[in-house]
Amino acid sequence: MDHFELRGGAMHAEDVALAEIADAVGTPVYVYSAATIRRHARVFARAVGRLGMGAPLVAFAVKANPNAAVLSVLAAEGCGADVVSGGEIARALAAGIPGERIIFSGVGKTAEEMGYALDAGVGQFNLESEEEAEALSAVACARGAAAPVAFRVNPDVDAGTHAKISTGKSENKFGIPYDQALAAYARAAALPGLAVRGVAVHIGSQLVDLGPLAAAFARIGGLIADLRAAGHTIVTADLGGGLGVPYDPVLPPPPTPDAYAAMVDGATAGWNARLMFEPGRLIVGNAGVLLTRVVRVKPGVAAPFVIVDAGMNDLMRPALYDAWHDIRAVTPSGERFVANIVGPVCETGDTFATGRTMDAVTGGDLVAFMTAGAYAATMASTYNSRPLTPEVMVSGSQWAIVRRRLPIEALIAADDVPEWARTAA
Ligand code: PLP
């Protein structure tokens, strides 16, 4: 459920007309609904609230949407943060998320990032290899610290999602192989500066079937028993994120947080561990739209090209992994047509939809790419020297720019030109 709906024939975000934002800020612009973010955080927290030992940690996957205003809304909801870089740690701390509620994931943590994370007092490092355990041990020892660690275990389960967002198969780069987990824990337990405390798993994103998650958790349950039998103290189990959101209203909706929680309840029975969750897309996916204006409609052989002023640099998901976004006119006339929706970037991949039946639009009309709150603005770039996409947050009848549009002058000013580059060699 989200708070983007037609009122009086025009799409609103909560109580604000999208056209008002487009007129004031220009397009393209991301628009987030604070009420939707809060609602999703609460629905998820309520669903999993009584699972495991003690209060579970719901750590929002910052990579999904690291905007400071988004993180602040979630910090106020009591969320922790799942982070994958020093930059994400800094963002989480700046938003008021305490270090102990931060989980440091990520396959390539540098020694510098490890030191920063230790100084910030992050609650758990999810290690991805024995080599990483050794590196963290060295950094922790140099500081006289004990780093709380879990290993991210790769359960070799097919998540049944797009290959580029699938992370739990043995050929993926993530985690330690399941069969090597016992040896890895034995090695980590013997390293100074590490305090082994948990197990972590995350098999992929946009999962629309609970089966693969249940299969992965069953393997993790077996591993927890084996680890305890080997003498390890396992007090946390991090089940990752991955629950899908509805992108295409025609498809059956993904499992609800309640259905997910019921599955987790069964899968983790007897684990006697504090559970951790890392939802990203579920919290923010449907809480954002990308608002864009039609530049012009150009005739095409099979269907017209609707050229919008948002490009693949603003919303990379369709080009990156064939992602499908619902595309709606902000003020629909009621007429429909079949069109190709493309951006202005000089790449054929700058195509949002091909042969799509959608609201009929013409030059100057506003269009909304729905479900653009996750893995969207955060991946924006300045390719083709296009200014970085601004972001707006709405709450009730108020709205604010939460990321400014960086002008081209700022981009040019960031470049330095050495004197020798100005003269012919
Ligand atoms: N945790 C980890 C380790 C991830 O890599 C990801 C993203 O793939 C997430 C959590 C969040 O996943 P999602 O946004 O699908 O919930």
Side-chain angles (χ1 to χ4, degrees):
M1 193 230 154
D2 62 56
H3 292 75
F4 296 94
E5 60 182 15
L6 288 179
R7 288 193 195 169
M11 197 186 299
H12 283 59
E14 303 188 28
D15 299 333
V16 179
L18 289 182
E20 179 188 330
I21 295 171
D23 289 346
V25 184
T27 52
V29 56
Y30 280 96
V31 181
Y32 305 128
S33 154
T36 309
I37 297 172
R38 283 191 199 103
R39 179 175 189 280
H40 291 172
R42 287 176 196 175
V43 166
F44 189 81
R46 201 168 44 233
V48 301
R50 278 190 289 276
L51 305 181
M53 299 272 285
L57 175 64
V58 178
F60 172 67
V62 172
K63 66 175 83 66
N65 191 325
N67 184 281
V70 171
L71 296 184
S72 297
V73 167
L74 292 170
E77 291 296 316
C79 286
D82 165 57
V83 302
V84 293
S85 69
E88 288 191 351
I89 295 174
R91 281 185 173 274
L93 293 172
I97 297 174
E100 72 265 16
R101 297 180 74 75
I102 297 176
I103 302 169
F104 194 5
S105 304
V107 77
K109 306 174 193 76
T110 64
E112 193 186 355
E113 288 174 319
M114 290 172 179
Y116 177 49
L118 282 168
D119 294 344
V122 308
Q124 182 166 296
F125 290 78
N126 285 352
L127 299 173
E128 298 256 357
S129 64
E130 289 186 50
E131 291 74 7
E132 192 178 66
E134 283 162 22
L136 180 59
S137 165
V139 175
C141 286
R143 283 176 160 68
V149 299
F151 271 107
R152 175 170 176 180
V153 178
N154 184 320
D156 195 19
V157 167
D158 186 349
T161 185
H162 191 281
K164 287 193 179 158
I165 47 175
S166 184
T167 60
K169 284 287 287 167
S170 59
E171 61 266 30
N172 299 140
K173 69 177 176 178
F174 297 100
I176 51 166
Y178 186 86
D179 297 341
Q180 294 168 28
L182 277 175
Y185 273 88
R187 175 95 186 93
L191 288 171
L194 301 187
V196 174
R197 51 177 256 154
V199 181
V201 65
H202 171 79
I203 63 169
S205 196
Q206 187 53 17
L207 272 57
V208 293
D209 178 4
L210 294 177
L213 286 166
F217 299 163
R219 299 208 83 189
I220 297 301
L223 179 63
I224 290 174
D226 292 347
L227 288 170
R228 287 186 176 143
H232 299 288
T233 305
I234 301 297
V235 291
T236 63
D238 180 346
L239 302 182
L243 202 52
V245 299
Y247 281 94
D248 185 345
V250 166
L251 295 178
T256 62
D258 280 339
Y260 170 80
M263 179 275 292
V264 170
D265 196 19
T268 61
W271 283 19
N272 293 325
R274 181 188 187 208
L275 299 183
M276 299 172 162
F277 300 92
E278 302 172 350
R281 192 186 304 272
L282 183 78
I283 306 294
V284 290
N286 282 327
V289 300
L290 174 59
L291 186 56
T292 181
R293 203 177 280 282
V294 178
V295 177
R296 65 183 60 87
V297 179
K298 169 181 162 173
V301 174
F305 291 98
V306 173
I307 305 170
V308 294
D309 65 5
M312 63 190 286
N313 68 295
D314 303 296
L315 178 63
M316 203 177 165
R317 299 185 66 255
L320 189 61
Y321 30 64
D322 307 315
W324 196 100
H325 285 269
D326 198 9
I327 300 172
R328 301 186 197 163
V330 166
T331 314
S333 64
E335 286 185 28
R336 309 273 289 169
F337 72 169
V338 177
N340 306 309
I341 300 92
V342 298
V345 169
C346 284
E347 297 275 351
T348 303
D350 186 27
T351 297
F352 295 112
T354 303
R356 174 76 64 88
T357 302
M358 61 171 283
D359 297 325
V361 289
T362 187
D365 285 353
L366 286 172
V367 162
F369 287 81
M370 309 305 291
T371 320
Y375 305 104
T378 182
M379 289 189 194
S381 76
T382 58
Y383 185 43
N384 276 203
S385 289
R386 291 166 51 80
L388 207 53
T389 338
E391 294 164 85
V392 159
M393 184 177 280
V394 174
S395 181
S397 58
Q398 29 175 14
W399 64 272
I401 296 172
V402 294
R403 182 170 77 186
R404 292 180 298 278
R405 188 189 306 278
L406 285 185
I408 188 62
E409 290 74 21
L411 282 185
I412 295 172
D415 291 356
D416 280 324
V417 184
E419 203 42 51
W420 44 261
R422 296 183 192 275
T423 44

